[in-house]
PDB file of all heavy atoms in Angstrom:
ATOM      1  N   MET G  34       5.757  14.664   7.727  1.00 96.00           N
ATOM      2  CA  MET G  34       6.846  13.757   7.412  1.00 96.00           C
ATOM      3  C   MET G  34       8.057  14.190   8.217  1.00 96.00           C
ATOM      4  O   MET G  34       8.236  15.382   8.475  1.00 96.00           O
ATOM      5  CB  MET G  34       7.172  13.747   5.927  1.00 96.00           C
ATOM      6  CG  MET G  34       6.057  13.194   5.052  1.00 96.00           C
ATOM      7  SD  MET G  34       6.520  13.005   3.304  1.00 96.00           S
ATOM      8  CE  MET G  34       7.644  11.594   3.398  1.00 96.00           C
ATOM      9  N   GLY G  35       8.871  13.228   8.611  1.00 97.00           N
ATOM     10  CA  GLY G  35      10.008  13.588   9.422  1.00 97.00           C
ATOM     11  C   GLY G  35      11.057  12.509   9.503  1.00 97.00           C
ATOM     12  O   GLY G  35      10.971  11.469   8.847  1.00 97.00           O
ATOM     13  N   TRP G  36      12.054  12.798  10.330  1.00 98.00           N
ATOM     14  CA  TRP G  36      13.186  11.907  10.521  1.00 98.00           C
ATOM     15  C   TRP G  36      13.390  11.605  11.988  1.00 98.00           C
ATOM     16  O   TRP G  36      13.343  12.505  12.841  1.00 98.00           O
ATOM     17  CB  TRP G  36      14.469  12.530   9.959  1.00 98.00           C
ATOM     18  CG  TRP G  36      14.451  12.682   8.473  1.00 98.00           C
ATOM     19  CD1 TRP G  36      14.041  13.768   7.763  1.00 98.00           C
ATOM     20  CD2 TRP G  36      14.855  11.703   7.520  1.00 98.00           C
ATOM     21  NE1 TRP G  36      14.170  13.525   6.412  1.00 98.00           N
ATOM     22  CE2 TRP G  36      14.665  12.267   6.236  1.00 98.00           C
ATOM     23  CE3 TRP G  36      15.364  10.405   7.618  1.00 98.00           C
ATOM     24  CZ2 TRP G  36      14.967  11.575   5.061  1.00 98.00           C
ATOM     25  CZ3 TRP G  36      15.654   9.716   6.451  1.00 98.00           C
ATOM     26  CH2 TRP G  36      15.457  10.302   5.195  1.00 98.00           C
ATOM     27  N   TYR G  37      13.613  10.345  12.273  1.00 98.00           N
ATOM     28  CA  TYR G  37      14.017   9.878  13.584  1.00 98.00           C
ATOM     29  C   TYR G  37      15.379   9.212  13.461  1.00 98.00           C
ATOM     30  O   TYR G  37      15.802   8.839  12.366  1.00 98.00           O
ATOM     31  CB  TYR G  37      13.008   8.872  14.143  1.00 98.00           C
ATOM     32  CG  TYR G  37      11.676   9.469  14.551  1.00 98.00           C
ATOM     33  CD1 TYR G  37      10.778   9.936  13.604  1.00 98.00           C
ATOM     34  CD2 TYR G  37      11.314   9.543  15.893  1.00 98.00           C
ATOM     35  CE1 TYR G  37       9.559  10.475  13.977  1.00 98.00           C
ATOM     36  CE2 TYR G  37      10.089  10.071  16.276  1.00 98.00           C
ATOM     37  CZ  TYR G  37       9.221  10.539  15.315  1.00 98.00           C
ATOM     38  OH  TYR G  37       8.009  11.067  15.696  1.00 98.00           O
ATOM     39  N   ARG G  38      16.051   9.052  14.576  1.00 98.00           N
ATOM     40  CA  ARG G  38      17.319   8.339  14.558  1.00 98.00           C
ATOM     41  C   ARG G  38      17.470   7.505  15.812  1.00 98.00           C
ATOM     42  O   ARG G  38      16.900   7.811  16.857  1.00 98.00           O
ATOM     43  CB  ARG G  38      18.502   9.299  14.410  1.00 98.00           C
ATOM     44  CG  ARG G  38      18.743  10.205  15.611  1.00 98.00           C
ATOM     45  CD  ARG G  38      19.839  11.212  15.303  1.00 98.00           C
ATOM     46  NE  ARG G  38      20.120  12.077  16.445  1.00 98.00           N
ATOM     47  CZ  ARG G  38      20.930  13.128  16.401  1.00 98.00           C
ATOM     48  NH1 ARG G  38      21.557  13.441  15.268  1.00 98.00           N
ATOM     49  NH2 ARG G  38      21.132  13.863  17.484  1.00 98.00           N
ATOM     50  N   GLN G  39      18.260   6.456  15.684  1.00 98.00           N
ATOM     51  CA  GLN G  39      18.540   5.584  16.811  1.00 98.00           C
ATOM     52  C   GLN G  39      20.014   5.223  16.799  1.00 98.00           C
ATOM     53  O   GLN G  39      20.503   4.588  15.865  1.00 98.00           O
ATOM     54  CB  GLN G  39      17.681   4.321  16.761  1.00 98.00           C
ATOM     55  CG  GLN G  39      17.801   3.454  17.996  1.00 98.00           C
ATOM     56  CD  GLN G  39      16.709   2.402  18.077  1.00 98.00           C
ATOM     57  OE1 GLN G  39      16.084   2.070  17.084  1.00 98.00           O
ATOM     58  NE2 GLN G  39      16.482   1.889  19.274  1.00 98.00           N
ATOM     59  N   ALA G  40      20.712   5.655  17.835  1.00 97.00           N
ATOM     60  CA  ALA G  40      22.119   5.361  18.003  1.00 97.00           C
ATOM     61  C   ALA G  40      22.273   4.100  18.842  1.00 97.00           C
ATOM     62  O   ALA G  40      21.359   3.726  19.589  1.00 97.00           O
ATOM     63  CB  ALA G  40      22.830   6.534  18.669  1.00 97.00           C
ATOM     64  N   PRO G  41      23.421   3.434  18.746  1.00 91.00           N
ATOM     65  CA  PRO G  41      23.638   2.228  19.549  1.00 91.00           C
ATOM     66  C   PRO G  41      23.443   2.481  21.035  1.00 91.00           C
ATOM     67  O   PRO G  41      23.993   3.437  21.586  1.00 91.00           O
ATOM     68  CB  PRO G  41      25.090   1.857  19.242  1.00 91.00           C
ATOM     69  CG  PRO G  41      25.336   2.426  17.885  1.00 91.00           C
ATOM     70  CD  PRO G  41      24.563   3.710  17.856  1.00 91.00           C
ATOM     71  N   GLY G  42      22.645   1.648  21.668  1.00 94.00           N
ATOM     72  CA  GLY G  42      22.400   1.775  23.085  1.00 94.00           C
ATOM     73  C   GLY G  42      21.456   2.879  23.494  1.00 94.00           C
ATOM     74  O   GLY G  42      21.297   3.135  24.694  1.00 94.00           O
ATOM     75  N   LYS G  43      20.823   3.540  22.535  1.00 96.00           N
ATOM     76  CA  LYS G  43      19.922   4.635  22.843  1.00 96.00           C
ATOM     77  C   LYS G  43      18.545   4.400  22.235  1.00 96.00           C
ATOM     78  O   LYS G  43      18.373   3.584  21.325  1.00 96.00           O
ATOM     79  CB  LYS G  43      20.487   5.965  22.333  1.00 96.00           C
ATOM     80  CG  LYS G  43      21.814   6.359  22.945  1.00 96.00           C
ATOM     81  CD  LYS G  43      22.194   7.773  22.574  1.00 96.00           C
ATOM     82  CE  LYS G  43      21.245   8.778  23.215  1.00 96.00           C
ATOM     83  NZ  LYS G  43      21.648  10.190  22.926  1.00 96.00           N
ATOM     84  N   GLN G  44      17.581   5.133  22.753  1.00 97.00           N
ATOM     85  CA  GLN G  44      16.220   5.060  22.238  1.00 97.00           C
ATOM     86  C   GLN G  44      16.104   5.846  20.938  1.00 97.00           C
ATOM     87  O   GLN G  44      16.866   6.782  20.684  1.00 97.00           O
ATOM     88  CB  GLN G  44      15.226   5.609  23.264  1.00 97.00           C
ATOM     89  CG  GLN G  44      15.194   4.870  24.586  1.00 97.00           C
ATOM     90  CD  GLN G  44      14.330   3.636  24.543  1.00 97.00           C
ATOM     91  OE1 GLN G  44      13.957   3.150  23.475  1.00 97.00           O
ATOM     92  NE2 GLN G  44      14.005   3.113  25.702  1.00 97.00           N
ATOM     93  N   ARG G  45      15.148   5.468  20.136  1.00 97.00           N
ATOM     94  CA  ARG G  45      14.869   6.217  18.921  1.00 97.00           C
ATOM     95  C   ARG G  45      14.310   7.592  19.303  1.00 97.00           C
ATOM     96  O   ARG G  45      13.457   7.707  20.186  1.00 97.00           O
ATOM     97  CB  ARG G  45      13.877   5.463  18.040  1.00 97.00           C
ATOM     98  CG  ARG G  45      13.663   6.094  16.680  1.00 97.00           C
ATOM     99  CD  ARG G  45      12.759   5.243  15.795  1.00 97.00           C
ATOM    100  NE  ARG G  45      13.323   3.928  15.529  1.00 97.00           N
ATOM    101  CZ  ARG G  45      12.823   3.047  14.671  1.00 97.00           C
ATOM    102  NH1 ARG G  45      11.738   3.358  13.972  1.00 97.00           N
ATOM    103  NH2 ARG G  45      13.389   1.864  14.502  1.00 97.00           N
ATOM    104  N   GLU G  46      14.802   8.627  18.629  1.00 98.00           N
ATOM    105  CA  GLU G  46      14.394   9.977  18.951  1.00 98.00           C
ATOM    106  C   GLU G  46      14.050  10.761  17.696  1.00 98.00           C
ATOM    107  O   GLU G  46      14.578  10.500  16.612  1.00 98.00           O
ATOM    108  CB  GLU G  46      15.505  10.714  19.709  1.00 98.00           C
ATOM    109  CG  GLU G  46      16.776  10.925  18.892  1.00 98.00           C
ATOM    110  CD  GLU G  46      17.828  11.755  19.604  1.00 98.00           C
ATOM    111  OE1 GLU G  46      17.548  12.288  20.691  1.00 98.00           O
ATOM    112  OE2 GLU G  46      18.954  11.871  19.060  1.00 98.00           O
ATOM    113  N   LEU G  47      13.169  11.726  17.871  1.00 98.00           N
ATOM    114  CA  LEU G  47      12.811  12.617  16.771  1.00 98.00           C
ATOM    115  C   LEU G  47      13.963  13.558  16.472  1.00 98.00           C
ATOM    116  O   LEU G  47      14.521  14.181  17.373  1.00 98.00           O
ATOM    117  CB  LEU G  47      11.560  13.420  17.128  1.00 98.00           C
ATOM    118  CG  LEU G  47      11.151  14.501  16.123  1.00 98.00           C
ATOM    119  CD1 LEU G  47      10.666  13.878  14.822  1.00 98.00           C
ATOM    120  CD2 LEU G  47      10.074  15.407  16.715  1.00 98.00           C
ATOM    121  N   VAL G  48      14.304  13.674  15.202  1.00 98.00           N
ATOM    122  CA  VAL G  48      15.318  14.621  14.751  1.00 98.00           C
ATOM    123  C   VAL G  48      14.658  15.897  14.239  1.00 98.00           C
ATOM    124  O   VAL G  48      14.989  17.003  14.671  1.00 98.00           O
ATOM    125  CB  VAL G  48      16.205  14.006  13.652  1.00 98.00           C
ATOM    126  CG1 VAL G  48      17.227  15.024  13.152  1.00 98.00           C
ATOM    127  CG2 VAL G  48      16.903  12.757  14.165  1.00 98.00           C
ATOM    128  N   ALA G  49      13.743  15.742  13.309  1.00 98.00           N
ATOM    129  CA  ALA G  49      13.033  16.878  12.735  1.00 98.00           C
ATOM    130  C   ALA G  49      11.801  16.381  12.002  1.00 98.00           C
ATOM    131  O   ALA G  49      11.782  15.254  11.509  1.00 98.00           O
ATOM    132  CB  ALA G  49      13.930  17.665  11.778  1.00 98.00           C
ATOM    133  N   ASP G  50      10.797  17.226  11.930  1.00 97.00           N
ATOM    134  CA  ASP G  50       9.646  16.906  11.100  1.00 97.00           C
ATOM    135  C   ASP G  50       9.091  18.173  10.468  1.00 97.00           C
ATOM    136  O   ASP G  50       9.457  19.286  10.848  1.00 97.00           O
ATOM    137  CB  ASP G  50       8.565  16.119  11.857  1.00 97.00           C
ATOM    138  CG  ASP G  50       8.018  16.832  13.081  1.00 97.00           C
ATOM    139  OD1 ASP G  50       8.141  18.068  13.189  1.00 97.00           O
ATOM    140  OD2 ASP G  50       7.440  16.132  13.949  1.00 97.00           O
ATOM    141  N   ILE G  51       8.218  17.977   9.502  1.00 96.00           N
ATOM    142  CA  ILE G  51       7.660  19.091   8.760  1.00 96.00           C
ATOM    143  C   ILE G  51       6.237  18.751   8.356  1.00 96.00           C
ATOM    144  O   ILE G  51       5.943  17.621   7.967  1.00 96.00           O
ATOM    145  CB  ILE G  51       8.538  19.424   7.526  1.00 96.00           C
ATOM    146  CG1 ILE G  51       8.018  20.659   6.801  1.00 96.00           C
ATOM    147  CG2 ILE G  51       8.640  18.229   6.589  1.00 96.00           C
ATOM    148  CD1 ILE G  51       8.983  21.182   5.733  1.00 96.00           C
TER     149      ILE G  51
END
Side-chain angles (χ1 to χ4, degrees):
M34 295 187 72
W36 294 92
Y37 289 70
R38 68 186 181 187
Q39 187 166 20
K43 299 189 67 177
Q44 299 277 15
R45 187 175 298 188
E46 64 175 353
L47 174 68
V48 178
D50 59 21
I51 184 170

